[in-house]
Amino acid sequence: MDGRAGAGAMDGSRVLLVTAVDWIASIGSATLLLAFFLVQRGVLSAQSTAYLLLNLVGSAVAALAAWMGKIIPFVVLEVVWSAVAAWGLWTLWQRSRRAEL
């Protein structure tokens, strides 16, 4: 038995073992969902620094969890997601620099 959800313990009861990877993945996913929720509610703009930072941090944390769990397709997904968010932040920064000139 591996101690994961659904695995039987010696006494026949079920055991739920939440690993560090589970916690890291949950934090990353929750951050991404928070960003999505705030945009859907109109609290943030999809082009705002806060939204892009939430996406960058959430996807980077989720990528770490996917790497630790050896789930390569999700590593690729989250790394691309992080790159797109970073590119969006870079674009915002460039625009703000041009506006200051």
Side-chain angles (χ1 to χ4, degrees), residues 1-14:
M1 302 296 158
D2 66 1
R4 303 283 302 175
M10 296 300 267
D11 64 359
S13 64
R14 296 211 177 246

Side-chain angles (χ1 to χ4, degrees), residues 52 79-89:
L52 292 169
V79 167
V80 170
W81 195 318
S82 294
V84 170
W87 178 75
L89 285 166

Side-chain angles (χ1 to χ4, degrees), residues 24-25 36 41 53 59 62 77 87 90 99:
I24 294 167
F36 180 69
R41 298 293 301 157
L53 278 172
S59 58
L77 172 68
W87 178 75
W90 174 259

Side-chain angles (χ1 to χ4, degrees), residues 16-91:
L16 175 63
L17 177 64
V18 180
T19 66
V21 173
D22 294 328
W23 281 107
I24 294 167
S26 296
I27 291 167
S29 297
T31 304
L32 291 169
L33 288 171
L34 175 64
F36 180 69
F37 176 79
L38 292 174
V39 165
Q40 293 303 306
R41 298 293 301 157
V43 175
L44 293 178
S45 162
Q47 288 76 37
S48 69
T49 300
Y51 175 73
L52 292 169
L53 278 172
L54 284 168
N55 272 277
L56 178 63
V57 170
S59 58
V61 171
L64 173 63
W67 180 262
M68 292 169 68
K70 297 177 178 65
I71 309 169
I72 302 307
F74 283 102
V75 173
V76 173
L77 172 68
E78 298 302 341
V79 167
V80 170
W81 195 318
S82 294
V84 170
W87 178 75
L89 285 166
W90 174 259
T91 302

